[in-house]
Amino acid sequence: MKKLLKQALAFGLAAACLASGSAFAAAKQNPVNPDKPYLSAVMGTFHEQKVDEEAFRGQYSVYLPETLEQCATGVMVVVPDNTTAKAFVEGSTGSAWRKVCDQNGVAAVFVEAEGGKAWNVSGAADGRDEAAFLKKVSDNFHSKSKERDAAFNLNERAFYVVGYEAGGVAAQEFVMTWPALICGAAAVGSDAVPDALIGEIGDAYGYPFVQAGNLEGVEDNKLANKDIPVPVWLVNQADGNDTMEKYWAAANGASAGAANDWAARTYANRDKGQQRVWVTDSGAASKVTPEVLYTEFLSGVQRFVGDPGGRLEWRIQHTNNGKTGFFYSEEKVDGKLRRWYTYVPSSYGKGKDVPLVMAIHGYSSAIHAFTGDSRWQDVAEENGFIVVFPQAYVNDFPTRGEVLAPVWHTYSYPLTETATDDVSFLQQLVEKTEKDYSIDSSRIYATGHSNGATMTWALGIDAAGLFAAIAPVGHNSGAYRGAPANNNMEPTDVLSDTTPEKESDLLLPTWMFKGDHDVDGGAGFDNANLGGVNTNKMALQHWNTRNGTDATAPKTEKDGSGRYTTTTYTNTAGDAPLVRYTVVENSPHAYIPYEADMIWDDFFSKYSRGEDGTLYYEGKPVEKTAAVQQGFTDITNHWAKDAIQKAVDAGLFTGTSATTFSPEGTVTRGMAVTVLGRMAGTDASGTAAFADVAKDAYYNGYIAWAVKEGVVKGTSATTFEPEADVTREQLAVMLASYAKAGAADRAALSGFTDANRVSDWAADGMSYCVGQKLITGKDAATLDPQGLLTRAELATILLRVSK
């Protein structure tokens, strides 16, 4: 029984807790207010929000105040027995929590016991699993889906849990089960979690990266829940019961300390004191109001993704002394209200030029979050340079199906008529910073995470002359014009007609980082991780070519920690590491402060750019040389070598491994429509309606496009047979349908001795392709219409089509 319970709590809930399965009305979004564009798109009080799954049935209320902004703090309040969420919200304690939300711009979710009755805190088998239910509510609260009527943009770094009476026991069970999700917790008037459950939950393995939405790495880390720290305040706990006090002190690695104004007993870790436990006895419990809970304890600490179990840190104080520190700016740029932080180190003095780093947050994030994610301000303080944290504007991103959130518009998030031109914004922000501060214009750099990484790529393409080096972290989509777009969006060239052509000719040192548990299949090269291609590989191919580096002899080494494995490509002269690719072991989709240190010390600080565009490495000019590509070892002497390489460079194909293309390998139906779709630059966001086409298959969206456009049909009403091999005549029919060719002159086939082997249904298609010189004979006399199509033949044919 003990083993089964542990598995249910720690492993069996993964799939159930991540699936939504709840019914909601669509969110009623407010349009972006140009005077206050960063406010939440959804506000109000939402009662009777439901989790309808049989095993997790229950309801809750959500309060989103009018002061709520994007990337907002969230609090879960677990109400006492025999109280509905609505009644609690409307009562005195609920009103106090709503006041906290109003004053601090905090979102709150109030959760009731099943049927508004009693919490199953004993873990009785015939009752609801309360930790699992609260996880379901947490998932809903974290979701930005437009399908939820109380959807908003939660800052996952700042999510806290408070429980009252029996709700405090349920809250602690939830926090103990999912500690990497929680930044701080409090239990008011609560009994202890039953001893049997403490052992079961505490000994179970925690999900180390759950906050990033990634449940990988459990077995790799074997990190017990009881070893993941969570700051906890126990208020008016049951007399004489110190079980939870001991549990949380041990989990936080905290030692006993002095009493304070609020707690008779305190514990803190020896590092920075952020891992702590406070205990307030019954005599002083009345003064611990919701405002005190939030301002004095909960809001002080946040948890950042990257390290197993998360990284607890004190909340960043974005303050200044009038001369140095964080300076907040907000003004209109290109007609839209933009905001940013500028961090000025204490060593700065007007008149002495210093370097500038642009640090760019990811999708749905914010500048107040990215200062904690990356800690670039710490690196700036230590090394005496200025760092700017720019804020993305709030826009709709329809293919994600989420409420309005901050997003950078890049090659992966294309420009629309109403979207911001973020390359222009960041160029102007650099110019403004140069006017306001003494900046060394030869030493300006850009780095970013996720969507901020694609923004960094865009700067490297459209504004390369402005920067001496770039370092995108966590995303290699959007690495070049024509790259496959994120979330199956159509690739878009956002260059304006006035963009200097010379920008793409400039050397631009580039350091890419990906975690082994990162998005798009992680950091490897052996899978088609986005839109049917491997974006890690294609980014390296592009930037090695652009920077003229020698891809045949890279140097790979680990850093001192053993966590970072970096492959370095130098120019052919061997005097500058122009391209680097680092795999971060045991890491999800995250920007880790150690990486900021690495990027500055080992990369940015070594590069500068002259006024004429010349790149310098450690003060010496770097000459651009012709790239030496490793290429595919199995096409060296192949008849289609040039065509294959051009098709790969155009993004139509990837290799079957890092060094092989498999030119004589056969082409499947799924593969054929995928490369056709890539060539067409199609929107592959649709879903194929065939039972044998997996939803997550790389060709799914392309099959949907091909069927819709009449390029190809299914093999039946319910099947497509995507893995079936394609014959030469079958491809001919696809190409003719793609070109809307119609009937063709069959005399084009008369010169081949095997023309009679062309199937009747394929005669028009083959006649069109032969007549247009898209398909030629296997030799002068034979067409081999029913022979299987090879990858080399398809690459060659598609290049003829695209001319």
Side-chain angles (χ1 to χ4, degrees), residues 268-281:
N269 65 315
R270 295 180 180 178
D271 181 15
K272 301 175 183 177
Q274 76 278 46
Q275 296 169 206
R276 56 197 169 132
V277 179
W278 289 5
V279 182
T280 298
D281 295 329

Side-chain angles (χ1 to χ4, degrees), residues 569-618:
Y569 303 83
T570 64
N571 59 342
T572 53
D575 55 12
L578 292 171
V579 177
R580 280 181 170 165
Y581 182 73
T582 294
V583 177
V584 188
E585 294 183 11
N586 207 22
S587 177
H589 192 51
Y591 199 123
I592 302 172
Y594 184 70
E595 294 165 8
D597 281 311
M598 291 173 65
I599 290 166
W600 177 259
D601 291 342
D602 300 335
F603 204 62
F604 283 178
S605 66
K606 299 180 183 298
Y607 281 103
S608 61
R609 188 181 296 283
E611 291 185 3
D612 63 352
T614 300
L615 184 71
Y616 293 87
Y617 178 71
E618 296 185 326

Side-chain angles (χ1 to χ4, degrees), residues 182-184 226-233 248-257 266-278 297 300-303 308-314:
I182 316 300
C183 309
K226 65 184 179 183
D227 295 327
I228 300 176
V230 181
V232 174
W233 191 351
W248 290 117
N252 284 284
S255 302
T266 67
Y267 303 80
N269 65 315
R270 295 180 180 178
D271 181 15
K272 301 175 183 177
Q274 76 278 46
Q275 296 169 206
R276 56 197 169 132
V277 179
W278 289 5
F297 190 82
V301 176
Q302 297 184 339
R303 189 187 298 272
R311 169 173 55 90
L312 286 174
E313 294 281 358
W314 293 109

Side-chain angles (χ1 to χ4, degrees), residues 25-53:
K28 296 180 180 178
Q29 297 191 80
N30 297 316
V32 174
N33 180 344
D35 295 323
K36 297 180 179 180
Y38 302 101
L39 287 175
S40 173
V42 180
M43 301 172 185
T45 304
F46 304 85
H47 292 304
E48 298 180 352
Q49 301 293 288
K50 299 183 185 298
V51 176
D52 285 334
E53 294 179 22

Side-chain angles (χ1 to χ4, degrees), residues 717-781:
T718 59
T719 60
F720 186 83
E721 297 185 26
E723 300 300 329
D725 290 333
V726 173
T727 64
R728 285 163 57 83
E729 67 178 7
Q730 286 172 342
L731 178 72
V733 173
M734 291 183 195
L735 292 175
S737 299
Y738 172 75
K740 312 294 185 187
D745 183 359
R746 300 190 181 187
L749 306 181
S750 60
F752 296 100
T753 58
D754 58 351
N756 61 341
R757 295 189 58 201
V758 176
S759 302
D760 289 342
W761 54 266
D764 281 331
M766 186 62 84
S767 298
Y768 166 79
C769 289
V770 171
Q772 295 294 317
K773 296 183 170 53
L774 303 180
I775 293 179
T776 59
K778 285 286 214 175
D779 55 38

